[in-house]
């Protein structure tokens, strides 16, 4: 028998639908079913393991609402990693809790067996039924489908809540990544018009890109202009300064040399056998 055959199959009524309740539906407290009992048990576990939420203090309430922090791709990445860590911890705690519950249930059922009974009078139907009920209870202790179902339900609920929190964060990270990529392309398309603008470039990569452009041959400059969408008129101003200003030319030369020296791909490799 394959391992998949032992898994619980979803109900046909839930096919193509959300099988989790999104709102509270009151249950009959006078006649709770097994599902209601198991969910109540799971809710007690959640309260015991997760605690309760403490709202803002009186001082924070008097101070008024704070402006929400500006979200970046990095802060959303941190939230995703924290959510994943918390999910792993939740699954671990639930597994430990279920294992302890299962062990206690097995011990309780084992202790129901009366070892003093060495035989049963087959004519006494009460004794026969009594021993049969105890044996059935004991034999059911090891598989205990109820525990398997409760574990599956609890894991499914935790997984569902985890994905419900994760998906919006993944969407937000993708949106912020696209925004950052668009902003980076816009920065790359801006070519400095003066030495001051070159020095005020937002990052070193931008400066190095311009420096390499100024030091490149005409054909290489054409390729770079197409890659970064620099208009020919946009590069003329700084190129004229580069040709006439010796100090700026030397600065560009040193920048390119330093970049080549720090790039391991451009370092000379030793010839085998040479000392």
């Amino acid at each position: 028998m394959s391992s998949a055959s032992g898994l619980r199959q979803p109900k046909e009524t839930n096919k193509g639908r959300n099988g989790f309740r999104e709102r509270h539906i009151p249950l009959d407290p006078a006649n709770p079913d097994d599902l209601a009992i198991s969910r109540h048990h799971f809710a007690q576990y959640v309260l015991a393991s997760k605690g309760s939420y403490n709202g803002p203090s009186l001082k924070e309430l008097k101070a008024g609402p704070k402006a929400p922090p500006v979200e970046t791709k990095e802060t959303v990445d941190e939230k995703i990693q924290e959510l994943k860590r918390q999910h792993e911890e939740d699954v671990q705690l639930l597994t430990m809790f279920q294992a302890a519950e299962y062990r206690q249930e097995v011990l309780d059922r084992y202790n129901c067996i009366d070892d003093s009974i060495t035989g049963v009078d087959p004519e006494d139907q009460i004794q026969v039924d009594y021993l049969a009920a105890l044996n059935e209870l004991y034999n059911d202790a090891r598989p205990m489908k109820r525990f398997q179902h409760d574990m599956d339900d609890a894991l499914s609920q935790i997984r569902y809540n985890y994905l419900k929190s994760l998906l919006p964060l993944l969407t937000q990270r993708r949106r912020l990544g696209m925004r950052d990529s668009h902003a980076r392309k816009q920065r790359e398309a801006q070519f400095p018009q003066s030495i001051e603008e070159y020095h005020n470039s937002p990052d070193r990569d931008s400066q190095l890109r311009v420096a390499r452009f100024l030091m490149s041959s005409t054909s290489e400059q054409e390729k770079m202009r197409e890659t970064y969408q620099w208009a020919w008129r946009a590069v003329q101003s700084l190129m004229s300064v580069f040709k006439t200003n010796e100090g700026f030319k030397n600065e560009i030369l040193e920048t390119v040399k330093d970049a080549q020296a720090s790039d391991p791909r451009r370092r000379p490799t030793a010839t085998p056998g040479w000392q």
Side-chain angles (χ1 to χ4, degrees):
M1 184 174 63
S2 63
S3 59
S5 61
L7 298 177
R8 294 174 64 195
Q9 299 300 317
K11 295 181 180 180
E12 288 296 326
T13 55
N14 289 332
K15 181 175 292 186
R17 298 170 53 193
N18 186 346
F20 294 90
R21 291 177 178 174
E22 292 290 348
R23 58 187 179 87
H24 174 66
I25 301 178
L27 298 173
D28 184 5
N31 298 294
D33 54 12
D34 290 341
L35 179 60
I37 294 175
S38 64
R39 287 182 175 177
H40 175 71
H41 196 200
F42 178 62
Q44 289 180 319
Y45 156 74
V46 171
L47 290 175
S49 62
K50 305 296 290 183
S52 59
Y53 171 73
N54 294 322
S57 64
L58 180 60
K59 182 179 180 181
E60 292 174 334
L61 290 174
K62 289 182 177 180
K66 295 182 179 179
V70 178
E71 293 285 11
T72 63
K73 185 174 179 295
E74 288 71 23
T75 59
V76 174
D77 278 332
E78 292 177 0
K79 289 182 178 180
I80 291 175
Q81 294 304 318
E82 174 60 23
L83 182 63
K84 291 181 178 180
R85 185 200 65 78
Q86 187 62 55
H87 176 63
E88 292 177 358
E89 181 179 322
D90 290 342
V91 172
Q92 183 179 12
L93 289 175
L94 176 64
T95 304
M96 294 171 60
F97 169 76
Q98 291 284 2
E101 290 283 298
Y102 176 81
R103 180 179 182 276
Q104 186 60 49
E105 184 73 11
V106 171
L107 290 176
D108 290 344
R109 296 195 181 194
Y110 175 79
N111 291 330
C112 290
I113 299 298
D114 189 353
D115 295 332
S116 64
I117 300 178
T118 57
V120 176
D121 185 359
E123 302 297 330
D124 190 341
Q125 191 61 38
I126 295 179
Q127 292 187 25
V128 173
D129 294 342
Y130 172 73
L131 187 60
L134 287 180
N135 286 331
E136 182 181 358
L137 183 66
Y138 176 69
N139 292 331
D140 186 52
R142 283 178 295 179
M144 275 196 289
K145 293 295 183 182
R146 180 181 67 82
F147 267 91
Q148 295 181 21
H149 292 176
D150 288 353
M151 184 65 175
D152 289 344
D153 290 342
L155 281 174
S156 296
Q157 186 65 57
I158 287 180
R159 180 69 175 173
Y160 172 75
N161 291 332
Y162 164 66
L163 293 176
K164 192 176 179 181
S165 300
L166 177 63
L167 291 178
L169 291 176
L170 294 177
T171 301
Q172 185 181 19
R173 182 177 67 176
R174 182 170 60 253
R175 178 176 57 80
L176 292 173
M178 294 174 61
R179 185 195 67 180
D180 293 346
S181 177
H182 179 69
R184 184 179 66 254
K185 290 181 178 179
Q186 285 186 325
R187 291 194 303 267
E188 291 176 351
Q190 295 176 353
F191 197 90
Q193 300 298 299
S194 63
I195 297 178
E196 291 75 16
E197 287 188 13
Y198 168 79
H199 289 156
N200 293 331
S201 296
D203 51 55
R204 185 176 182 275
D205 289 339
S206 299
Q207 290 184 341
L208 183 58
R209 190 180 303 114
V210 172
R212 284 174 173 166
F213 174 81
L214 296 175
M215 292 289 296
S216 298
S217 63
T218 303
S219 60
E220 291 174 339
Q221 287 180 347
E222 288 293 332
K223 294 179 181 179
M224 293 186 68
R225 285 200 312 106
E226 292 180 3
T227 301
Y228 299 108
Q229 298 181 353
W230 291 331
W232 178 251
R233 293 181 180 179
V235 302
Q236 286 299 306
S237 178
L238 195 63
M239 286 182 63
S240 299
V241 176
F242 174 74
K243 294 177 180 179
T244 58
N245 190 320
E246 289 297 326
F248 182 58
K249 181 183 295 186
N250 292 332
E251 178 186 350
I252 295 298
L253 179 61
E254 291 298 323
T255 299
V256 174
K257 284 184 177 180
D258 291 343
Q260 291 176 345
S262 60
D263 190 347
R265 296 170 299 180
R266 297 177 177 271
R267 294 173 184 172
T269 56
T271 304
W274 287 26
Q275 301 295 329

